[in-house]
Amino acid sequence: MKTLGLIGGMSWESTVSYYKALNQGINQRLGGLHSAKVLLSSVDFYEIERLQHKEQWDDAADLLLKEAKALENAGAQGLVICTNTMHKVADYVSSNISIPLIHIVDATAEALQKSNIDNVALLGTKFTMEQPFYSNRLHTQFGIKVVIPTQDQRDMIHSVIYNQLCKGMICKDSRKQYIEVINALHEQGAQGVILGCTEIALLIKQEHTNVPVFDTTAIHAEKAVTFMLDG
């Protein structure tokens, strides 16, 4: 089994989900008392969030690269960035380390293709929904069209993520609002919905909607488990 490096803490609420999913995935495949060999570097999300909202992405990239190099030096054989939004700087991090980075968009695209979905709704932070790093990668590399919510809907989704989900708050009214957005995008032609922020899976489950849901945390973790056991 390979040792996996995790850059977490963005937020720590979703990093808990990653850790659980990785260990469950390893145990399901190997049985017995097997669990995942991981090294975790958990950052202070206050620092990351401040850089995000100031649009200081170069500084954020350098911060994550520092953590990535520390994990590599500690013996990690592969890297997972435990967040969707910070994959904005994933190519920069990947190009400056010598271990493979398991990209959350690529893993999600593979799951969409297996379900024969080529038109999908994307929910996430405003950075993920509005900036091209996520949707362009899906479209140019995998031929998947992405639709996003309206401006007001994006503002609501973003606010719930940072003011509720990152703090572990699960509100039924927020779930209702998210479901309304998902249903509206489905009516516009989206065949499924990407939960493109790792915290959203804390709020939205498949049981809450008939629209196919793609939980990026679970998908990313499953891809990482395969990497850890491959070869």
Side-chain angles (χ1 to χ4, degrees), residues 88-104:
K88 178 178 173 65
V89 302
D91 288 345
Y92 173 77
V93 172
S94 180
S95 65
N96 285 284
I97 57 176
S98 60
I99 58 176
L101 182 148
I102 304 167
H103 203 292
I104 199 168

Side-chain angles (χ1 to χ4, degrees), residues 42-112:
S42 189
V43 302
D44 180 358
F45 190 43
Y46 172 84
E47 298 175 2
I48 298 291
E49 182 271 340
R50 181 172 54 84
L51 293 173
Q52 289 175 341
H53 285 93
K54 289 184 177 181
E55 298 287 341
Q56 294 178 341
W57 294 104
D58 289 345
D59 291 338
D62 287 335
L63 195 157
L64 258 62
L65 177 58
K66 179 181 177 181
E67 304 302 325
K69 287 183 174 180
L71 289 167
E72 181 178 4
N73 291 336
Q77 296 165 278
L79 182 69
V80 164
I81 300 174
C82 301
T83 164
N84 283 273
T85 297
M86 291 310 295
H87 274 74
K88 178 178 173 65
V89 302
D91 288 345
Y92 173 77
V93 172
S94 180
S95 65
N96 285 284
I97 57 176
S98 60
I99 58 176
L101 182 148
I102 304 167
H103 203 292
I104 199 168
V105 176
D106 297 351
T108 301
E110 290 172 10
L112 291 166

